[in-house]
Amino acid sequence: MHTFRQRFLVTQTVTLVVAMFGALTGFLVGRNILLKDAEARLEQFATRVLTETEMSATESRAVLGRMNASPYPSCSDAEVDYFRKLIFHSEYLKDGGRIRDGQIDCSATLGRLDQPRARYQPDFSRPDGTRIYRNLSPFQIAGQTVISVQLGGSFVVYSPFTLRRLESPSMHYTVTDVGGVQSGHLTGELPPTGESILYREGDARLGDTLYATRCAGRFFSCMTTYASIPETLRVRQRELVAFILIGGLCGAVVGLLISVFYIRREGIEQKLRRAIAKDALRVVYQPIVDLSSRRIIGAEALARWTDEDELVVDPDVFIKIAEQRGFVGAITKLVVKHVLHDFAETLRSSPDFHISVNIAAADLSDPTFVPMLEESLAQAGVKPQGVAIEITESYTARRQVAMDAILRLRRSGHSVHIDDFGTGYSSLSYLQDLSVDAIKIDRSFTRAIGTEAVTVAILPQILAMAEALKLQVIVEGIETREQAGYFSALSQPILAQGWLFGRAVAAEELRRLLTENWILSANTMQA
Ligand code: C2E
Ligand code: MG
Ligand code: MG
């Protein structure tokens, strides 16, 4: 038995382990959701940068066009004044003027420049005739990249702050020139990779960085927005922690439930083992009647267990536990012992009467089972014909094992019945191979009588098949006269079991019923 300390330890360990697993799952799920969200934001950011760049480029082209079409003498006061007005009304430009052979002649903010002047080389020359200069010295701002564009004899200078205002703490951008031979970085911060993602549209996750690139072919540039994964997660640390906590909490609850279930199950198993050792299981007997004469011709032995806490445990539950834990054979043994104790004399004196015993799959493959049965019967002086063996249909799935066991049992003189027939594995030919004596039609078929259920349509086929194979038919679960009537109308002999004829009762009660001239009382029949 588990001590309190052991239970506490099991609960604590399982809860902790599953909680940790939950927290890890929470972290992974949270990380994935946050990164997906970051990717979506990055794409939006890239689209915004692209829109802004396109708008500023469109404006600069328009302004350059108007500058080149200036009606004033080059760099005259009137022209410089004209340029000032154009720049003043622009949204994205901070200066503009005249440039010749890389030398600035005049601009809206600088006015007319005198000799000597610096000569600048464009950083990029594009197929449409535009030339791009990065950081022309008169317009330099520390820490910023200032772009100037020349078209014809005019140039404009972009304000470097247009795109910067779109930035967020975890999202950065870079603009790449893709127009000419010397393509490359135009403005923005340089990302950790110089990969091809900067030159083509698309999204990517490279190393620790997320990228989204949108290109404006018309202006020969691509905008790449990027975010470092650790930085993104750091910025959204609170949300990530929330995911971890929720995952951990869910894990702890699941862990707690698992350990409670485990302890309870372990508890039941130990209690059941003790009950078997102390012979504390009871066996009750449900009558099986001949439907035409309504005489009791046999009974099914059914195990019953009320645990130490006075709780009645369903046989479906405790038989399953015993099967899973490998000690169901002990229950079969116990039931056989009870049957012989309760009915050896009746069986000896009434050769037409039999008791059916349910056996488990494990008994079929246990080589000691048949010898044990024979020895017990021999000791009690009961012939094997007095004890029928019920094998649940699903247990016969291991065909060869089932066939061998059935053969051995029948050779010994037992009648073998396939229990819960129609619920699983037996096909017609399979049934022939198994060579059994009877089928017990599952109570789901009986329940379907008088309803529209498809199972009713199968019943005549099962009955015809049983008749053709000369198999005895026992119908389970007859509760109503309508159900009994359905089977009594058949020409073939039917044995029946169900609450209409009697529930499972203690041995003394069955013996009393048997002594009542082997026939069920009229009262019971009319109930
Ligand atoms: P089973 O062998 O098919 O047993 C028949 C079940 O149908 C019994 O349930 C019985 O009480 C129930 N029954 C009988 N007539 C009616 C009826 O008219 N209507 C309804 N609704 N039910 C009826 P029980 O005793 O709860 O047993 C359930 C299952 O547990 C059995 O099904 C059998 O598979 C298993 N079992 C019971 N005792 C033993 C045992 O000693 N050894 C093994 N291996 N299995 C057992
Ligand atoms: Mg049965
Ligand atoms: Mg059954």
Side-chain angles (χ1 to χ4, degrees):
M1 174 159 184
H2 284 290
T3 63
F4 176 77
R5 208 180 129 71
Q6 278 173 321
R7 285 181 197 187
F8 180 74
L9 262 175
V10 167
T11 311
Q12 200 184 37
T13 313
V14 173
T15 307
L16 204 71
V17 169
V18 185
M20 274 160 61
F21 181 74
L24 182 69
T25 311
F27 169 74
L28 293 175
V29 170
R31 183 179 190 273
N32 208 17
I33 289 176
L34 292 178
L35 290 185
K36 281 255 174 310
D37 187 54
E39 275 170 346
R41 285 174 189 224
L42 214 54
E43 283 173 35
Q44 283 174 8
F45 181 37
T47 309
R48 282 211 313 273
V49 173
L50 178 72
T51 311
E52 287 287 325
T53 309
E54 279 186 324
M55 277 161 60
S56 59
T58 306
E59 181 181 70
S60 79
R61 296 300 156 97
V63 171
L64 282 166
R66 293 179 70 183
M67 287 168 80
N68 285 332
S70 152
Y72 307 104
S74 180
C75 284
S76 60
D77 287 348
E79 186 170 69
V80 171
D81 206 35
Y82 171 64
F83 289 168
R84 278 193 191 119
K85 278 188 191 131
L86 286 176
I87 297 303
F88 181 74
H89 284 108
S90 79
E91 196 181 339
Y92 299 98
L93 306 174
K94 65 173 209 151
D95 205 352
R98 290 282 183 200
I99 188 165
R100 210 163 8 117
D101 299 331
Q103 288 182 311
I104 296 172
D105 288 337
C106 62
S107 91
T109 56
L110 304 173
R112 201 171 37 244
L113 298 178
D114 297 322
Q115 305 291 345
R117 285 163 296 151
R119 190 180 289 276
Y120 303 108
Q121 283 299 321
D123 293 275
F124 304 104
S125 295
R126 287 162 167 179
D128 64 351
T130 51
R131 291 169 178 195
I132 313 291
Y133 300 86
R134 300 174 72 228
N135 302 321
L136 288 175
S137 54
F139 310 109
Q140 262 178 358
I141 300 175
Q144 307 291 337
T145 306
V146 181
I147 301 289
S148 303
V149 181
Q150 176 191 352
L151 183 66
S154 311
F155 75 97
V156 289
V157 184
Y158 284 108
S159 158
F161 300 106
T162 311
L163 295 178
R164 294 230 75 149
R165 65 166 193 261
L166 296 175
E167 269 189 320
S168 78
S170 59
M171 289 197 281
H172 314 271
Y173 74 90
T174 188
V175 181
T176 309
D177 189 277
V178 293
V181 211
Q182 332 93 301
S183 298
H185 176 63
L186 199 58
T187 180
E189 294 169 75
L190 261 180
T193 174
E195 307 281 340
S196 55
I197 183 66
L198 306 182
Y199 291 85
R200 58 168 169 83
E201 282 229 3
D203 307 318
R205 199 181 277 197
L206 300 168
D208 255 1
T209 313
L210 304 171
Y211 295 90
T213 300
R214 300 290 176 268
C215 294
R218 217 151 44 96
F219 301 114
F220 309 101
S221 46
C222 285
M223 332 294 138
T224 303
T225 49
Y226 64 95
S228 121
I229 293 175
E231 204 179 330
T232 303
L233 295 179
R234 217 174 9 256
V235 169
R236 305 188 69 179
Q237 204 170 21
R238 282 178 177 205
E239 289 154 88
L240 193 60
V241 169
F243 274 109
I244 295 172
L245 286 180
I246 290 170
L249 208 68
C250 291
V253 171
V254 171
L256 204 66
L257 288 176
I258 291 175
S259 46
V260 166
F261 179 76
Y262 170 78
I263 287 170
R264 215 184 108 69
R265 215 183 146 77
E266 283 291 301
I268 292 183
E269 183 193 331
Q270 298 310 325
K271 283 181 197 169
L272 181 58
R273 282 185 190 274
R274 278 201 296 279
I276 295 169
K278 288 195 292 190
D279 196 6
L281 259 55
R282 288 182 306 120
V283 178
V284 290
Y285 301 89
Q286 185 176 28
I288 298 172
V289 303
D290 175 348
L291 201 52
S292 57
S293 67
R294 310 273 161 130
R295 276 171 59 106
I296 302 178
I297 54 90
E300 177 174 2
L302 294 162
R304 292 286 176 266
W305 178 38
T306 306
D307 77 5
E308 294 155 7
D309 304 321
E310 298 300 316
L311 283 173
V312 175
V313 185
D314 198 278
D316 282 323
V317 172
F318 70 79
I319 295 289
K320 195 168 206 155
I321 292 177
E323 277 178 339
Q324 285 170 350
R325 295 311 176 108
F327 61 94
V328 72
I331 297 184
T332 312
K333 217 170 182 172
L334 186 144
V335 171
V336 169
K337 190 177 115 187
H338 277 252
V339 166
L340 294 175
H341 173 265
D342 294 337
F343 286 100
E345 204 178 315
T346 314
L347 291 167
R348 275 196 298 267
S349 59
S350 319
D352 291 339
F353 179 75
H354 78 268
I355 299 278
S356 299
V357 171
N358 291 286
I359 67 163
D363 297 319
L364 286 177
S365 48
D366 177 3
T368 66
F369 169 65
V370 180
M372 177 282 290
L373 189 63
E374 298 326 308
E375 200 186 312
S376 309
L377 289 173
Q379 272 177 11
V382 172
K383 291 204 172 111
Q385 286 76 5
V387 175
I389 302 296
E390 290 192 10
I391 302 171
T392 298
E393 192 181 13
S394 58
Y395 296 162
T396 62
R398 286 175 64 197
R399 199 180 176 117
Q400 198 54 51
V401 174
M403 275 166 65
D404 291 350
I406 290 168
L407 196 69
R408 261 181 285 140
L409 285 163
R410 291 191 79 211
R411 274 208 192 120
S412 305
H414 294 284
S415 193
V416 176
H417 305 172
I418 296 291
D419 206 353
D420 304 338
F421 185 81
T423 53
Y425 295 82
S426 306
S427 67
L428 182 75
S429 63
Y430 191 15
L431 206 56
Q432 224 162 357
D433 286 352
L434 286 177
S435 114
V436 293
D437 299 275
I439 54 168
K440 291 190 80 173
I441 297 178
D442 189 68
R443 61 175 182 272
S444 55
F445 290 93
T446 314
R447 211 181 303 132
I449 289 168
T451 70
E452 300 287 307
V454 275
T455 31
V456 189
I458 307 168
L459 252 181
Q461 293 170 33
I462 295 179
L463 292 164
M465 180 191 74
E467 198 167 24
L469 291 174
K470 297 194 171 51
L471 293 174
Q472 174 76 64
V473 173
I474 304 161
V475 182
E476 291 187 301
I478 295 190
E479 294 178 2
T480 66
R481 266 180 282 179
E482 188 196 359
Q483 291 164 347
Y486 177 95
F487 292 102
S488 345
L490 301 170
S491 57
Q492 68 200 97
I494 299 283
L495 300 182
Q497 186 179 349
W499 294 345
L500 183 69
F501 310 109
R503 296 204 179 217
V505 291
E508 315 83 73
E509 176 63 10
L510 181 69
R511 272 198 298 270
R512 194 186 60 76
L513 287 172
L514 291 175
T515 45
E516 277 178 11
N517 221 356
W518 297 90
I519 299 173
L520 286 173
S521 72
N523 290 345
T524 315
M525 288 305 304
Q526 281 155 17

